Amino acid sequence: MNSKFSQRLHDLRKDRNLTQEELSKLSGVSFPTISRYENGQRDEPKLTILKTLANYFDVTIDYLVGDTDIKEADLNAEGIAKIFNNLDDDDKRILMDLAKALLRKEGKPNV
């Protein structure tokens, strides 16, 4: 049983002002299952359900299960790459210059 998962699922649902029943209908995960997850009466879900819930709440699976406190799905390498790849070349250069400046500010080497 993962109490962080239970708490995060509960908090995410409440942040959206949803009942467990509403979340069930919107996510396709049964109402009793949602309830048992939130109450810690059921083990962490299978990957397919984790993906469904993470996608619905627009968070990473790692956040949902408590492995990180970074909530936003875009704040991982894949999400950042998607954003970067949609920029034009001038904006890519600006973003790269900004990233290098932030690394210097934090005393970290450029990659």
Side-chain angles (χ1 to χ4, degrees):
M1 223 174 321
N2 182 334
S3 62
K4 273 203 170 185
F5 169 72
S6 298
Q7 188 62 50
R8 294 231 166 128
L9 180 60
H10 175 267
D11 292 346
L12 288 165
R13 180 180 60 78
K14 288 291 192 177
D15 287 347
R16 296 235 178 148
N17 296 314
L18 297 172
T19 65
Q20 289 178 343
E21 191 170 343
E22 289 169 329
L23 176 58
S24 170
K25 289 176 184 174
L26 292 168
S27 68
V29 178
S30 76
F31 167 71
T33 299
I34 296 285
S35 178
R36 286 195 287 276
Y37 286 147
E38 285 192 15
N39 293 315
Q41 298 171 343
R42 187 171 175 142
D43 288 337
E44 195 172 281
K46 293 180 181 181
L47 184 58
T48 54
I49 291 177
L50 285 173
K51 284 181 180 179
T52 298
L53 292 170
N55 286 335
Y56 176 76
F57 288 115
D58 196 29
V59 298
T60 63
I61 291 174
D62 286 342
Y63 175 81
L64 194 56
V65 299
D67 288 345
T68 184
D69 290 330
I70 298 173
K71 195 177 197 178
E72 293 83 12
D74 286 341
L75 289 181
N76 60 35
E78 184 180 320
I80 292 168
K82 284 180 185 176
I83 292 168
F84 186 82
N85 289 332
N86 284 314
L87 297 173
D88 64 34
D89 287 343
D90 288 336
D91 288 339
K92 285 179 182 177
R93 278 190 276 288
I94 292 168
L95 186 57
M96 287 301 294
D97 290 343
L98 176 60
K100 289 175 184 177
L102 290 171
L103 287 171
R104 281 191 303 275
K105 176 183 165 208
E106 294 181 10
K108 296 178 182 176
N110 286 337
V111 180

